[in-house]
Amino acid sequence: MTISFPLHASRQRAWSTIAAGTRTLADGELIVLSHHRRVVLVGCAGATTTEQMAFLIRHTTGFLQVALHEQICDRLILPEATPTLRTMSTLGHGQCGTVDAAAGITTGISGADRAHTARTLADPTTVADDLARPGHLVPVRVTPAEFRARLTAASLALALTDAAATQYSGAVFADLDGIADPTSVGDRSDAENLADRYGLTLVAGPDLENDVH
């Protein structure tokens, strides 16, 4: 059964700052992040609940990813899915082979199983053998250069979750599904509609930050 967040009274929600987004994540909530016109739902991988994962699955494309630092991917033996010459603007940039947690799950695809896998990826005690391949979550490698400059949605999401939850590292995220046009990924208008409906915090990335007061 799909679990959904409670509906909120509709009101126009404003775009918030990166600092506000960090505070929301630290409170254990999801945020909606806009980065160079890409709109993603983001949560702290190490604290992902079944309810949050179900919400992500329902309101995104369902292609769930977990942004991780490059050195963590190396430690867990998570190479990129293909040798990459893809530019950072490519949605597939940095994506690794899919994984599940090796223990504590069933099929791997349910909200509960994917939440468990996300927490496993973010757990600093996890080793490579704690992960089964292939699976139902996509790790995304974030290089030091990408992380410092916040060049991609994955790197910005990871920076926010790192600041929000210092005991582990990892950002679970997925592209917002289209609301006005279900055949497309979501845009800022869709983000605002979803935030109005469920009381989510909208976070402005570099392309919107000058418009936030």
Side-chain angles (χ1 to χ4, degrees), residues 88-110:
M88 291 182 191
S89 61
T90 304
L91 293 181
H93 178 78
Q95 291 175 353
C96 303
T98 58
V99 297
D100 282 337
I105 64 170
T106 55
T107 63
I109 200 169
S110 69

Side-chain angles (χ1 to χ4, degrees), residues 153-203:
S155 62
L156 181 54
L158 183 58
L160 267 66
T161 55
D162 274 5
T166 57
Q167 67 271 39
Y168 45 72
S169 181
V172 60
F173 71 100
D175 290 274
L176 191 67
D177 208 6
I179 298 174
D181 178 7
T183 65
S184 178
V185 294
D187 58 19
R188 292 173 190 157
S189 177
D190 293 322
E192 291 165 358
N193 287 336
L194 190 70
D196 288 347
R197 191 176 187 193
Y198 292 103
L200 299 173
T201 298
L202 295 164
V203 179

